[in-house]
Amino acid sequence: MILFCLIAMLSCGDRNTPEEQKEVLELKEQSIAEGAEVDANTVNVLTLRYNKMVRIAANGSITLNGAALQATCSAMEVSIPLQLVPATDYTLQIAAGSIVSVLDSTVVSGELNLHFKTAAQKEQAISTELSDKNAIPQAQNVFAFLLEQYGKRTISAAMANVNWNISEANLVYTATGKYPAMATMDYIHMLTQTTHSPFNGWVVNYADISALEAWWNSNGLLAASWHWNVPRTEADITNTEGYTCTPGNGTTGTTFKPSNVMKEGTWEKRIADEDLAVMAANLLLLQEKNIPLLFRPYHEASGNTYSEWNLVNGKPKGNAAWFWWGAEGAEVYKELWKYTYEYFQSKGIHNLIWVWTSQNNGDTDWYPGDAYVDIIGQDIYNQGSMQNVADFMKLQATYPNKMITLSECGNVGLISEQWTNGARWSWFMPWYQYNATTLDGHEHANTAWWQDAMSNPNVITRDQMPSLK
C-alpha cells in the first residue's frame, strides 16, 4: 500500500518549481546523433537513455518540426515514435523539464534540440512489363498509362456500394462535378452453380457487364476485388445463410481450409474449382469486349498477424487473419494465389492486371512473387497524412520495382497533404458507406475530402482520361 501511494503521488502531476530543480538528468545515449542523416523507411523511433528511471512530465513538450509527439517510458529509456519522409530536414525539440525522474520529481531533463535529416529516396526501377506475357493489348495500354503517370499524377477511384454499381462514383460526381477515373467492383455476392446458394439471399447478375462496358467506353478504368464467400462447413453448401469469408469454427466463420483447395478429393477443392470456373466465365465476358481489369483478389491476407497486440518478442504469437485465405499462414496463401493465377491462365484469361495487397507491417513473407504480381497495394484506415506518407515510403522501399497504390482507404489524410509530402500513390480508393445518399458526413471520405482530391491538379479524373482501347 505504501508503494502504491508513493507511485500515485509521483504520477499526480509535476509540482516542482525552478527553485526545487537541483539536478538535471544526464542523457547517456540517443539513437539519432546531432546532424545525422537517416533512412526514413527504416527509422521510426528515437530512443533516449538517461541515468535514472524516468517518466514524461504532465506538462512536457516534445515536438518534431513543430508538431507534438507522444512519448513512452520504460525504465531509463524514452521512446519517441517518428513518421519521417525522405529528403527532409528535422528539428526535434524537448522542452526543459519534459522528462522527470520517477523517484524524485525535482530531477528533470534539460532542453534538447536535435537536428537531423533524412536521405533522399532512391530512384525506383519500376518493372515495365506485366506478369502475363500474353496480356491483351488493352491491359498493356492500361499498365503503360499507369507507368507513365506514376510519381507525376495519381488516379482517383471509387468503390461500388456492396454490389454491381457505380453509386459511390455518382456521389462523388454530385459533390465535385467530376467522376473518379476508376470504378472498382466486388464479386462478393457471386452465385456460383446449382448446389450453391446466394450469399445471405443476395443474387447479383455479374454476367450483366453493361455498367462496366459503359464505364470503359467513357474512358474510365475498371478494377475489382473479390470477397470470396465460401460455406462455413461442407454441410452448409446449400444453406442460404451459411456463407462467409471470415475464418472460424463453422459457427462464427468458415472451416474451409485454403490448403485443401490444392488437394484432390477435398470438398474445398470441389467448391473452389466450381467457383473459379464461374469467376473465369465472368472475367472472359469482359475479355471478349476487350475490357481489362485491375484485379485484386485475396486482399489483406495477413490481417492482424503482425499487429502489435499479436506479437511476442517481435514475432507473431499466432495467425490473426480475418479472411479464410490467410487462415493457414503465408506459405499456403502464396500457393493459393499461384493456383488461382495459373487456373485463370489455363482458361485463356489475359485481361487481368494483378494487384497484391500488403499490410505494410512485416508481411513480406506473404508476397506471391514478381512473376504473379503487377502492382502492390495497401489498405489504410483512420490514419493521418504523415502516417500515410510513411507507409507509402516504406512500401516503395520494400518493393522498389513495383508501383504502389492506396488500394483501399477510409478516414485518411487529405490527398493534397499526402501528395505534397511524398505519398505518390498510383491511385487511391476510399471505401463505400452502405446506402449513403450524400458524401456529407460520409464515414470514409466526406465532401470536403473529395473536393480537396478532385480539385488537385495532380489527381486524374475520368474526364481527363485518354482512350486506352
Side-chain angles (χ1 to χ4, degrees):
M1 178 63 72
I2 295 174
L3 177 61
F4 175 82
C5 292
L6 174 61
I7 295 174
M9 288 187 292
L10 289 172
S11 61
C12 285
D14 302 291
R15 298 182 177 87
N16 51 296
T17 64
E19 291 75 16
E20 295 173 322
Q21 295 175 4
K22 301 176 181 178
E23 185 179 344
V24 176
L25 286 166
E26 181 182 354
L27 179 59
K28 305 290 287 186
E29 296 178 25
Q30 59 191 68
S31 59
I32 300 177
E34 171 66 24
E37 181 177 271
V38 301
D39 185 351
N41 300 305
T42 59
V43 176
N44 54 23
V45 65
L46 168 66
T47 302
L48 304 174
R49 184 175 180 84
Y50 288 87
N51 63 328
K52 298 179 183 293
M53 295 179 63
V54 292
R55 62 183 175 86
I56 304 300
N59 59 348
S61 173
I62 304 175
T63 63
L64 182 67
N65 286 1
L69 300 179
Q70 297 295 322
T72 58
C73 296
S74 176
M76 291 182 279
E77 287 190 352
V78 176
S79 296
I80 306 172
L82 303 174
Q83 297 174 6
L84 307 176
V85 297
T88 303
D89 293 327
Y90 287 101
T91 299
L92 184 133
Q93 295 180 305
I94 302 179
S98 296
I99 300 168
V100 183
S101 168
V102 168
L103 298 178
D104 185 352
S105 61
T106 68
V107 181
V108 300
S109 62
E111 182 180 8
L112 176 65
N113 289 286
L114 174 62
H115 305 89
F116 64 96
K117 63 182 179 179
T118 50
Q121 186 81 2
K122 295 180 181 179
E123 288 294 324
Q124 305 298 324
I126 305 297
S127 176
T128 58
E129 293 186 358
L130 287 169
S131 58
D132 183 357
K133 305 310 178 188
N134 296 312
I136 64 173
Q138 292 76 16
Q140 296 180 39
N141 292 343
V142 168
F143 193 64
F145 175 77
L146 296 177
L147 286 169
E148 180 184 4
Q149 301 303 319
Y150 193 59
K152 302 173 185 175
R153 302 182 74 190
T154 183
I155 295 161
S156 54
M159 183 67 200
N161 184 338
V162 180
N163 53 28
W164 216 225
N165 59 63
I166 57 169
S167 299
E168 288 279 317
N170 286 332
L171 294 181
V172 174
Y173 179 80
T174 299
T176 68
K178 297 179 181 180
Y179 279 109
M182 183 188 300
T184 304
M185 306 298 179
D186 194 343
Y187 285 93
I188 186 171
H189 296 305
M190 189 177 70
L191 176 61
T192 55
Q193 44 86 53
T194 55
T195 62
H196 286 55
S197 298
F199 176 66
N200 287 337
W202 282 79
V203 178
V204 178
N205 183 14
Y206 292 110
D208 180 5
I209 63 169
S210 55
L212 283 72
E213 190 173 5
W215 189 271
W216 173 248
N217 288 334
S218 298
N219 292 341
L221 299 174
L222 288 165
S225 56
W226 185 13
H227 282 86
W228 187 353
N229 292 290
V230 294
R232 286 198 295 257
T233 66
E234 186 175 7
D236 282 310
I237 291 174
T238 58
N239 175 12
T240 302
E241 301 297 326
Y243 280 66
T244 182
C245 58
T246 60
N249 57 17
T251 301
T252 58
T254 181
T255 61
F256 189 98
K257 291 185 177 180
S259 60
N260 284 344
V261 170
M262 285 74 72
K263 295 179 182 178
E264 295 294 338
T266 63
W267 70 272
E268 290 96 338
K269 180 174 176 57
R270 177 169 63 87
I271 294 300
D273 284 353
E274 290 171 350
D275 286 5
L276 287 168
V278 175
M279 176 62 85
N282 289 329
L283 296 173
L284 285 170
L285 289 174
L286 295 173
Q287 183 167 298
E288 290 168 1
K289 298 283 187 178
N290 293 321
I291 299 175
L293 190 68
L294 290 148
F295 187 52
R296 191 172 70 99
Y298 306 135
H299 64 296
E300 302 173 9
S302 62
N304 281 331
T305 299
Y306 299 91
S307 64
E308 185 175 341
W309 65 266
N310 197 47
L311 296 179
V312 175
N313 296 325
K315 297 181 179 180
K317 65 182 179 182
N319 184 274
W322 49 62
F323 295 121
W324 65 259
W325 46 83
E328 292 184 276
E331 293 307 312
V332 171
Y333 169 76
K334 288 186 289 189
E335 289 180 29
L336 179 65
W337 181 284
K338 294 172 185 178
Y339 183 86
T340 303
Y341 187 102
E342 291 165 357
Y343 182 95
F344 288 155
Q345 288 279 299
S346 73
K347 297 298 182 181
I349 296 172
H350 300 293
N351 63 329
L352 303 181
I353 298 171
W354 291 77
V355 183
W356 178 72
T357 311
S358 168
Q359 290 299 102
N360 202 13
N361 52 11
D363 65 349
T364 53
D365 288 345
W366 297 68
Y367 181 54
D370 290 351
Y372 300 91
V373 175
D374 300 308
I375 297 172
I376 307 294
Q378 186 184 2
D379 298 351
I380 301 176
Y381 289 85
N382 305 317
Q383 292 182 355
S385 59
M386 293 312 295
Q387 182 61 53
N388 305 154
V389 172
D391 286 347
F392 173 86
M393 297 297 181
K394 179 181 177 182
L395 206 56
Q396 186 71 91
T398 305
Y399 303 95
N401 64 328
K402 297 293 182 182
M403 290 183 283
I404 308 299
T405 181
L406 185 54
S407 44
E408 255 183 57
C409 64
N411 191 26
V412 295
L414 294 174
I415 291 299
S416 60
E417 294 177 354
Q418 294 192 51
W419 187 267
T420 297
N421 288 293
R424 305 297 170 91
W425 310 103
S426 179
W427 71 83
F428 60 87
M429 190 207 71
W431 199 246
Y432 69 85
Q433 178 176 317
Y434 183 64
N435 282 347
T437 58
T438 176
L439 293 180
D440 294 339
H442 197 287
E443 63 180 321
H444 297 304
N446 61 21
T447 300
W449 191 94
W450 270 109
Q451 287 177 344
D452 170 81
M454 301 298 264
S455 63
N456 191 310
N458 300 112
V459 171
I460 298 175
T461 54
R462 197 179 72 174
D463 58 295
Q464 299 170 329
M465 285 292 299
S467 172
L468 300 173
K469 299 177 181 59

